[in-house]
Amino acid sequence: MEQYVIKGGIPLVGEVTIAGAKNAALGILAAAVMTDKECIIENVPNVRDTRVLLQAIGEIGATVRYIDEHTVSICGGTITNVEALCVDDEFIRKIRASYYLLGALLGKYGRSQVALPGGCDIGSRPIDLHVKGFEALGADVVIDKGMVTASAEQLVGKHIYLDTVSVGATINIMLAAVFAEGKTTIENAAKEPHIVDVANFLNSMGANIKGAGTNEIRIRGVKELKGTEYSIIPDQIEAGTFMMAAVATGGNVLIKNVIPKHLEAISSKLSEIGAVVEEYDDSVRVIGNREKRLGATQIKTQPYPGFPTDMQPQMAVTLGLSEGTSVITENIFENRFKYADELTRMGANIKVEGNMAIITGVSQYSGASVVAPDLRAGAALVIAGLAAEGFTVVEDIQYIQRGYECLEEKIQALGGKIEIVETEKDIMKFKLKVG
Ligand code: UD1
């Protein structure tokens, strides 16, 4: 199995270019099957989750073609089987976003069937809100033997109130409602930048969606969608991860191809603890401080525009090196502190009580062998390894590869010492090489 080996203690310095947003891409790639015409999608991050979803889209008969590494052509006109995404499919079960095909295919064909979605184990991840939304639009939804089947003669627009703010349910209902007769309103909708991106993509195909990015999305049903060319927004979480890596290593990194507005919650917390964040039109420069430890703070994860749950582990690693005691309250997922034990092995002082982590900063982490429990926690452990004294090995990096494109190459370009290895011998070689 692949692992990362890292020699820490080197400040990251230089420039990094951020890829397209994974979570926007997943919604957009699924939405692309809703027209029989060709869609050309640019800035698709080349990560495991997008590759797996594209494979699933190919499996139902759509024509999927990579024009280059980050540009994909999808034509939904050749779809033959809306029930091909079966429970035994090892790929589809691995990614959460497979459920976007439920909404997209239900909207287009009046029937869809997908294996219950997998994804990172960060707490119970029900799909009841997705189901309620489809049912409100007039669909029958059956969950049986690990499969979700949705069907409807004709979807009809409705007023739908989401009692929890959910990114996935908002996108899925929006997809299904594109072809529903009349007007659908989604109230208490999620406002994440990728919701806006999926809505903009659908509108560029001829959908009629208004209010995306606010808590009320209004969709007027249309009869058909056309092909389009579209470029995905930059990944807010990848950008945030590099911001944390710059700060935790006391480095100085220009993070390019970002929308600074999307990073505000992260930038303002980093400024508050004493890091320097300079915003430009489409980049941010983040400067840590090697001479003086940063300060402590309180973080509460919230739906956008609050502090993102997907940045919580990386922030914890940064706060673990700050002076004083910080408290992180996780309000979105109940099992998102699984990295705490691993970080403790690196010398961090973290106590988890319910949905709170109490972090008393230490002056230095020490390298250790750790296991990535999920995607973002895995990235956080890489940051800890980059900041730590000595060598760190991060196992189970397949989680990290779900959502970060060429993470090791981008870190190497910033002067970080990191490599993918498979054996003890590779680790020894790395140690000899970097000294
Ligand atoms: C998406 C992101 C994920 C991010 C999360 C929160 C994708 C592919 N993944 O996940 O990276 O961490 O948003 O920003 O975009 N809930 C229900 N019932 C439902 C759906 C959700 O109770 O039917 C609850 C969840 O348990 C959770 C909360 O709603 O407590 C938010 O989850 P949601 O926004 O749906 O997360 P995902 O879309 O799965």
Side-chain angles (χ1 to χ4, degrees), residues 23 96 99 125-130 166-168 310 332-333:
N23 288 346
R96 184 139 189 89
Y99 58 34
R125 301 185 75 175
I127 60 159
D128 57 309
L129 294 170
H130 305 235
S166 160
V167 170
D310 283 359
I332 312 291
F333 294 109

Side-chain angles (χ1 to χ4, degrees), residues 6 33 143 154 161 188 198 201 239 265 268 274 326 343 360 369 374 407 429-430:
I6 301 164
V33 305
I143 300 183
Q154 169 67 55
Y161 175 80
N188 201 26
V198 176
F201 173 71
S268 82
S326 299
L343 208 51
T360 305
S369 227
D374 58 65
L407 182 63
K429 265 204 229 153
F430 175 83

Side-chain angles (χ1 to χ4, degrees), residues 20-61:
K22 170 187 81 91
N23 288 346
L26 295 172
I28 286 171
L29 296 174
V33 305
M34 295 181 73
T35 169
D36 283 345
K37 303 283 169 4
E38 184 186 28
C39 292
I40 295 177
I41 303 154
E42 294 168 8
N43 209 26
V44 178
N46 186 6
V47 294
R48 188 161 290 170
D49 274 12
T50 53
R51 288 196 299 268
V52 169
L53 183 62
L54 283 167
Q55 183 165 349
I57 289 172
E59 269 177 35
I60 57 171

Side-chain angles (χ1 to χ4, degrees), residues 211-273:
T214 73
N215 50 17
E216 189 180 285
I217 300 180
R218 300 174 304 282
I219 304 146
R220 278 229 172 259
V222 295
K223 291 267 179 272
E224 60 173 4
L225 295 178
K226 56 185 179 6
T228 187
E229 284 186 33
Y230 193 84
S231 182
I232 293 172
I233 54 166
D235 197 304
Q236 167 206 15
I237 306 300
E238 190 199 3
T241 301
F242 276 98
M243 291 168 80
M244 294 300 159
V247 173
T249 60
N252 180 337
V253 179
L254 182 67
I255 299 159
K256 301 198 306 191
N257 186 35
V258 301
I259 300 174
K261 174 107 188 101
H262 295 168
L263 302 170
E264 262 175 3
I266 304 161
S267 304
S268 82
K269 277 295 164 190
L270 286 180
S271 305
E272 185 189 320
I273 63 172

Side-chain angles (χ1 to χ4, degrees), residues 22-24 26-27 49 95-100 118 122-132 162-171 190 192 194 237 302-304 308-311 330-334 336 375-376:
K22 170 187 81 91
N23 288 346
L26 295 172
D49 274 12
I95 58 164
R96 184 139 189 89
S98 54
Y99 58 34
Y100 289 145
I122 52 180
S124 81
R125 301 185 75 175
I127 60 159
D128 57 309
L129 294 170
H130 305 235
V131 172
K132 271 192 213 159
L162 298 178
D163 38 45
T164 304
V165 177
S166 160
V167 170
T170 302
I171 292 181
E192 269 66 3
H194 38 286
I237 306 300
Q302 303 281 359
Y304 188 83
T309 174
D310 283 359
M311 281 304 301
E330 171 56 58
N331 290 313
I332 312 291
F333 294 109
E334 73 266 26
R336 225 174 175 174
L375 163 60
R376 304 304 172 185

